[in-house]
Amino acid sequence: MAENGKSATEKVPAVANPLSEQPSEIASNINYHAQFSPHFSPFKFEPEQAFFATAESVRDRLVKQWNETFVHYHKVDPKQTYYLSMEYLQGRALTNAIGNLDIQNAYAEALNKLGHEFEEIAEQEKDAALGNGGLGRLASCFLDSMATLNLPAWGYGLRYKYGLFKQLITKQGQEEIAEDWLEKFSPWEVVRHDIVFPVRFFGSVEINPDGSRKWVGGEVVQALAYDVPIPGYKTKNTISLRLWEAKARAEDFNLFQFNDGQYESAAQLHSRAQQICAVLYPGDANEDGKLLRLKQQFFLCSASLQDIILRFKERRSGKGSWKWSEFPSKVALQLNDTHPTLAIPELMRLLMDDEGLGWDEAWDVTTRTIAYTNHTVLPEALEKWSQPVMWKLLPRHMEIIEEIDKRFLAMINATRPDLEHKLPTMRVLDHNPQKPVVRMANLCVVSAHTVNGVAQLHSDILKAELFADYVSIWPTKFQNKTNGITPRRWLRFCSPELSNIITKWLKTDQWVTNLDLLSGLREFADNADFQDEWASAKMANKQRLAQYILRVTGESIDPNSLFDIQVKRIHEYKRQLLNILGAIYRYKKLKEMSPEQRKNTTSRTIMIGGKAFATYTNAKRIVKLVNDVGAVVNNDPEVNSYLKKPIVLHNTFVSYALLFSKATSGIDVVFVPNYNVSVAEMLIPGSELSQHISTAGMEASGTSNMKFALNGCLIIGTLDGANVEIREEIGEENFFLFGARADEVPQLRKDRENGLFKPDPRFEEAKQFIRSGAFGSYDYNPLLDSLEGNSGYGRGDYFLVGHDFPDYMDAQARVDEAYKDRKKWLKMSILSTAGSGKFSSDRTIAQYAKEIWSIKECRVP
């Protein structure tokens, strides 16, 4: 390839054509970047060099649109939304950018002229490691929709150098190593050397003679802006994701100490600054870890707010007199979960201490500016920060939080004496002498003008349970905004075959920005020609996925089997344990059958993927169990009756025609390593059944369920999160439902404590099979013990795996039967896609814009 690439590049002149849409001129522009924006030794044009040069060529287009968008916003001065999130899971940017710019074919042709295939070049890009799970991917889908809807909006986040972690699977289970996405550089980001803000930690509060207060001393680091362009789909609007990097200044380097041999202390502040954006969610078991996490959160909030205030003032300059009371009519701030809660006291501090406002005016501005999205009802995920740690790191902010708490108490005492007995749980500060904390969710609810949940069931639970007492004070403060996903990344670009069929039968591609048009597919659900085309598109995606699985795991899987997938963060409430116990029971039963009986079973490939948090022991045990089960099952000739030839893998795709004789029955269990956005873009289009099986009432929404449904994948799931709405939209007959309902869960837990639970014999059999050593010598008793007993820490089956197991196995039997009827399954698959229109993030963001932010379209002319 290198030789081809080299000789091909010689034939293409290296000429800058930054805005061209002609393939030959684009090829010249790519070659121009390879030669005149060099990052590698000359005379190399292998796939990696080709990727960076191609990305820089695309960036030329983006920069022009980006600058035009920025200038247009500055001129029009619309109200603008700023989305604050600790996480963004952007995925790869190349395919998405050229897709949104509508220049895929031109770029594919240009790369051919340079001796490369577009798919191979796109594969060179590393996923930006700025997030962990659904929260971060939601933020990225939202940015795509904001740009596509031409809304004046920006994202703010942190530029994590090493991300969360890269997952390796070894004999010991999951191992974590640092992400290397910035090992070379990211071609998409633009560092803004002129946008730098000081951010202070520690120190003390000075009181001036006039009573005003000032935060002084401590240590000060610099926040430097890196901007990533976010293009809308077929629109000029290109918005920013602004990521902050923490740095120290040259003058903070102690030359005297360094020359004295005290190398580490000479660069102490530089080293501390680098820690802030090193890793997403650093371990917080000790005080240093807690301080670092709190530093990250404050660093994001302070830098972003200083930037927003500066922009607000710049846009006022030369426009005559203005008042701070106008700020909320120009700025909307959305807190994505409780991580950016410190934006509340920081905005108060900046307004009072720097801009000279009094408390009442600052509070009025703050509460009309900030809105809060809640993402969880899990008590451990509702952040509570130690008061002593907060006083140490942010003394001025603790004064402000104390005052907010004091005024809230006074307001309740004056207007709602009936709630006085509830104040200990409602107030912001918990003064428990053993462990005094600041309750961040309470601070958000008290201070924000709007609080929203992310699916109807979740918002109902917030109003009825978690925030019920606040609802009685502020009944109009609480809303629902059911999450959505971008149809560009999650169907149009990741499944081109299926997209083309949809466009052909609907006779329009308008569905890409108006997803409700998918309902038009319902009329073709029984059409034999349509079903055949649908099936061939699904098979193409399954074969591509099978090639990927072979490449990353060495496992050959049969594309004729039912592809059954569960990918998400590994967590006990998401119940990957229920899935693998079901697989173990299925395997055991297959082993007990005669070959004749096996022929009548539905062959399945069960894929599970996701990262377990580094310190979450039980989650890591689940990862190990899935891998141990796979090692046994996949090498058992009794249940794997199709051919598995050893393959010599080169860096090329393997022809799948060579690999399979037709499977008649069997089971495969595969753990897909290092799950991320790019892996999801491979798995989701190839899936036929996906598992969304959390304990009812515990998953706020889920968004992968929407991605699978959109791609014609059927769901087996509980009535939890957005599953409820998906089932309503696609038709309950097209959803494999099982399990306890959310309102039944508390009573079932009580029954368990009282010894009333009777386990199903199939459940006991599956657990016993693990204990028998069938899957190796690892001690799984600590994991299985979480399912035993009636109460106690880490026992008593809190997530109701045992209760739901029999219903789950019955639902899986219904899946097996349905899959045998090809026409019925295809019809259900088509109806799943046809019913997914509601779950576009375009719809979600249009609702936020109208009902929470009060912002309007600001289209670049």
Side-chain angles (χ1 to χ4, degrees):
M1 176 54 82
E3 282 310 304
N4 287 351
K6 183 69 190 81
S7 54
T9 54
E10 282 169 354
K11 293 176 194 156
V12 174
V15 179
N17 295 299
L19 307 176
S20 178
E21 294 186 16
Q22 298 305 315
S24 56
E25 293 181 354
I26 289 173
S28 286
N29 199 52
I30 293 171
N31 203 8
Y32 173 83
H33 278 292
Q35 291 192 35
F36 297 105
S37 313
H39 305 286
F40 299 91
S41 313
F43 315 120
K44 259 191 175 174
F45 198 67
E46 283 158 18
E48 186 181 38
Q49 288 80 32
F51 161 68
F52 283 107
T54 303
E56 289 180 318
S57 173
V58 176
R59 196 181 82 168
D60 291 343
R61 275 284 293 270
L62 292 178
V63 166
K64 180 172 191 288
Q65 296 189 182
W66 207 5
N67 291 343
E68 287 171 355
T69 307
F70 190 84
V71 167
H72 184 62
Y73 287 176
H74 198 78
K75 195 168 73 189
V76 177
D77 189 26
K79 182 175 184 182
Q80 192 163 336
T81 291
Y82 299 100
Y83 196 82
L84 263 63
S85 180
M86 285 295 280
E87 292 187 41
Y88 291 89
L89 264 182
Q90 287 291 99
R92 290 174 175 154
L94 180 59
T95 309
N96 193 73
I98 65 167
N100 276 3
L101 293 168
D102 199 21
I103 46 176
Q104 305 97 307
N105 296 339
Y107 263 84
E109 211 181 306
L111 281 164
N112 281 149
K113 290 179 189 300
L114 293 164
H116 288 287
E117 291 295 322
F118 178 76
E119 285 70 25
E120 190 188 7
I121 300 310
E123 283 281 312
Q124 301 298 313
E125 184 172 2
K126 294 180 190 293
D127 279 38
L130 300 170
N132 172 30
L135 179 96
R137 184 53 231 171
L138 181 78
S140 294
C141 280
F142 279 3
L143 293 178
D144 182 84
S145 287
M146 289 166 184
T148 298
L149 294 171
N150 300 304
L151 290 169
W154 270 26
Y156 280 109
L158 295 183
R159 183 178 180 266
Y160 303 105
K161 188 171 183 186
Y162 301 115
L164 185 74
F165 60 82
K166 193 173 186 173
Q167 182 189 53
L168 298 182
I169 301 298
T170 66
K171 289 267 189 292
Q172 283 68 50
Q174 169 183 296
E175 287 186 16
E176 304 88 18
I177 59 170
E179 285 272 17
D180 58 355
W181 77 288
L182 286 176
E183 192 84 335
K184 293 194 170 81
F185 68 104
S186 164
W188 305 106
E189 59 186 21
V190 172
V191 58
R192 305 288 189 192
H193 291 289
D194 55 328
I195 298 180
V196 184
F197 295 101
V199 177
R200 186 183 308 275
F201 303 111
F202 308 110
S204 58
V205 181
E206 264 180 8
I207 304 172
N208 298 321
D210 65 354
S212 65
R213 305 172 96 81
K214 195 143 189 75
W215 183 24
V216 295
E219 66 182 39
V220 178
V221 298
Q222 308 300 314
L224 172 64
Y226 283 76
D227 284 353
V228 180
I230 310 291
Y233 180 74
K234 294 189 181 180
T235 173
K236 285 186 184 171
N237 284 52
T238 299
I239 62 173
S240 288
L241 168 57
R242 178 157 284 179
L243 301 170
W244 298 107
E245 161 121 298
K247 299 180 90 75
R249 296 170 306 185
E251 63 204 62
D252 295 316
F253 182 81
N254 191 319
L255 209 52
F256 178 81
Q257 283 185 332
F258 191 85
N259 288 329
D260 193 38
Q262 302 174 51
Y263 306 127
E264 279 168 19
S265 52
Q268 201 171 31
L269 192 62
H270 287 75
S271 155
R272 285 204 204 120
Q274 278 173 353
Q275 291 165 11
I276 293 171
C277 296
V279 172
L280 170 64
Y281 301 139
D284 59 352
N286 57 21
E287 184 173 313
D288 282 345
K290 288 182 174 63
L291 272 171
L292 181 55
R293 276 213 195 183
L294 202 53
K295 271 185 172 181
Q296 289 183 327
Q297 294 188 359
F298 179 66
F299 182 75
L300 168 66
C301 295
S302 181
S304 304
L305 279 165
Q306 289 181 69
D307 192 34
I308 291 163
I309 286 174
L310 180 66
R311 189 171 306 115
F312 171 76
K313 286 159 83 169
E314 280 175 353
R315 288 185 186 171
R316 311 267 84 59
S317 72
K319 288 189 179 174
S321 66
W322 56 273
K323 298 199 269 309
W324 278 103
S325 58
E326 296 165 25
F327 189 78
S329 66
K330 292 294 178 185
V331 173
L333 210 64
Q334 188 69 35
L335 309 183
N336 193 26
D337 214 352
T338 51
H339 311 127
T341 304
L342 291 167
I344 296 162
E346 175 65 353
L347 182 54
M348 290 293 289
R349 181 190 74 81
L350 290 166
L351 291 173
M352 292 191 299
D353 299 2
D354 289 7
E355 303 296 342
L357 276 65
W359 178 278
D360 291 338
E361 199 186 347
W363 182 247
D364 175 66
V365 168
T366 300
T367 55
R368 288 195 294 127
T369 300
I370 288 179
Y372 158 60
T373 301
N374 171 280
H375 282 276
T376 184
V377 293
L378 296 182
E380 71 270 21
L382 288 168
E383 290 187 295
K384 297 177 179 69
W385 285 105
S386 147
Q387 289 188 33
V389 170
M390 292 268 289
W391 276 111
K392 181 175 174 181
L393 189 72
L394 303 167
R396 178 66 181 120
H397 299 78
M398 273 306 286
E399 289 184 347
I400 291 167
I401 291 167
E402 268 195 336
E403 186 66 22
I404 292 172
D405 184 59
K406 189 177 98 183
R407 288 176 182 240
F408 175 69
L409 296 185
M411 186 269 287
I412 295 297
N413 288 328
T415 61
R416 292 294 301 275
D418 56 309
L419 285 175
E420 273 180 41
H421 66 293
K422 297 273 185 75
L423 276 175
T425 56
M426 289 176 73
R427 63 184 297 181
V428 176
L429 297 175
D430 178 352
H431 288 304
N432 172 349
Q434 271 75 50
K435 201 179 173 194
V437 293
V438 181
R439 301 181 180 120
M440 302 311 251
N442 290 20
L443 178 54
C444 286
V445 174
V446 166
S447 312
H449 61 80
T450 307
V451 175
N452 73 282
V454 290
Q456 194 59 58
L457 174 68
H458 171 234
S459 297
D460 291 345
I461 290 171
L462 290 184
K463 281 164 48 173
E465 297 170 30
L466 196 65
F467 298 144
D469 297 320
Y470 299 110
V471 174
S472 73
I473 311 169
W474 300 296
T476 59
K477 183 179 277 205
F478 297 85
Q479 298 187 11
N480 174 54
K481 293 286 169 278
T482 297
N483 283 343
I485 57 171
T486 167
R488 272 75 62 185
R489 186 178 289 269
W490 296 113
L491 179 54
R492 179 67 196 86
F493 305 147
C494 72
S495 184
E497 296 91 345
L498 204 62
S499 306
N500 292 339
I501 291 166
I502 292 169
T503 297
K504 174 184 160 184
W505 284 78
L506 290 179
K507 296 189 168 62
T508 176
D509 65 356
Q510 295 292 305
W511 60 268
V512 180
T513 48
N514 180 3
L515 206 59
D516 289 331
L517 293 176
L518 290 180
S519 62
L521 296 175
R522 289 193 178 117
E523 65 177 282
F524 310 121
D526 287 306
N527 181 303
D529 293 339
F530 184 53
Q531 287 192 353
D532 286 345
E533 290 183 30
W534 194 266
S536 70
K538 287 300 285 186
M539 181 49 85
N541 287 329
K542 287 178 74 177
Q543 287 175 333
R544 195 181 296 131
L545 173 53
Q547 290 174 350
Y548 175 77
I549 294 295
L550 182 64
R551 208 169 76 223
V552 297
T553 69
E555 279 298 324
S556 46
I557 59 175
D558 176 14
N560 295 302
S561 64
L562 167 58
F563 278 12
D564 165 351
I565 298 181
Q566 185 185 21
V567 279
K568 46 189 83 246
R569 285 182 302 122
I570 309 291
H571 198 296
E572 285 165 288
Y573 88 82
K574 293 179 185 283
R575 299 202 295 191
Q576 287 92 351
L577 187 53
L578 175 58
N579 184 349
I580 196 62
L581 284 167
I584 287 165
Y585 184 79
R586 175 182 286 268
Y587 169 62
K588 189 169 186 291
K589 293 298 115 180
L590 277 169
K591 294 270 298 170
E592 292 164 6
M593 289 177 187
S594 69
E596 279 308 303
Q597 289 173 309
R598 270 186 220 127
K599 278 183 186 162
N600 295 320
T601 63
T602 299
S603 183
R604 263 199 211 215
T605 300
I606 298 167
M607 295 173 239
I608 298 175
K611 294 178 179 180
F613 201 69
T615 53
Y616 189 172
T617 312
N618 260 1
K620 292 180 84 167
R621 287 182 181 127
I622 292 167
V623 173
K624 169 113 176 89
L625 178 59
V626 174
N627 281 287
D628 285 352
V629 171
V632 171
V633 170
N634 304 346
N635 294 298
D636 185 333
E638 283 190 302
V639 299
N640 268 304
S641 57
Y642 60 92
L643 206 58
K644 291 209 166 192
K645 291 185 180 172
I647 311 261
V648 181
L649 279 183
H650 301 288
N651 207 4
T652 53
F653 287 117
V654 180
S655 162
Y656 254 71
L658 305 173
L659 288 183
F660 294 104
S661 62
K662 176 93 168 97
T664 49
S665 66
I667 178 175
D668 245 320
V669 175
V670 178
F671 188 88
V672 185
N674 201 40
Y675 181 58
N676 62 17
V677 176
S678 295
V679 177
E681 288 170 21
M682 187 67 72
L683 287 166
I684 291 169
S687 62
E688 293 173 289
L689 179 77
S690 71
Q691 306 209 25
H692 302 274
I693 56 178
S694 49
T695 315
M698 301 200 78
E699 185 73 88
S701 165
T703 45
S704 69
N705 45 6
M706 301 169 186
K707 293 161 197 162
F708 282 103
L710 178 63
N711 279 272
C713 172
L714 301 183
I715 291 176
I716 181 169
T718 49
L719 272 186
D720 197 19
N723 280 3
V724 178
E725 291 160 81
I726 292 172
R727 184 167 168 265
E728 282 168 9
E729 294 291 318
I730 69 174
E732 51 195 58
E733 67 284 0
N734 302 311
F735 188 104
F736 298 99
L737 181 69
F738 76 95
R741 310 296 197 259
D743 55 0
E744 299 167 347
V745 167
Q747 188 56 50
L748 288 168
R749 286 182 177 141
K750 280 204 183 79
D751 292 349
R752 177 80 185 225
E753 279 177 31
N754 296 328
L756 301 175
F757 172 66
K758 296 279 179 289
D760 185 87
R762 293 175 288 181
F763 183 58
E764 296 302 295
E765 205 179 325
K767 289 186 298 182
Q768 192 44 48
F769 199 39
I770 300 172
R771 288 198 168 106
S772 74
F775 304 107
S777 57
Y778 183 83
D779 181 12
Y780 281 108
N781 282 314
L783 177 62
L784 297 172
D785 285 350
S786 71
L787 307 174
E788 309 294 353
N790 295 325
S791 60
Y793 181 73
R795 288 177 66 78
D797 193 10
Y798 184 76
F799 301 101
L800 305 186
V801 176
H803 175 275
D804 281 357
F805 188 82
D807 203 9
Y808 174 69
M809 294 310 293
D810 295 346
Q812 288 286 19
R814 296 200 303 277
V815 170
D816 287 336
E817 280 314 299
Y819 196 69
K820 288 175 185 170
D821 182 343
R822 179 179 177 276
K823 283 189 78 65
K824 179 186 175 183
W825 187 275
L826 284 168
K827 179 179 179 176
M828 293 168 79
S829 170
I830 291 162
L831 290 171
S832 172
T833 299
S836 292
K838 173 180 177 177
F839 304 105
S840 169
S841 47
D842 297 346
R843 184 263 319 148
T844 313
I845 286 298
Q847 290 178 334
Y848 273 100
K850 186 170 176 228
E851 296 159 23
I852 298 181
W853 303 331
S854 301
I855 63 170
K856 293 188 166 64
E857 177 180 285
C858 187
R859 187 188 292 262
V860 176

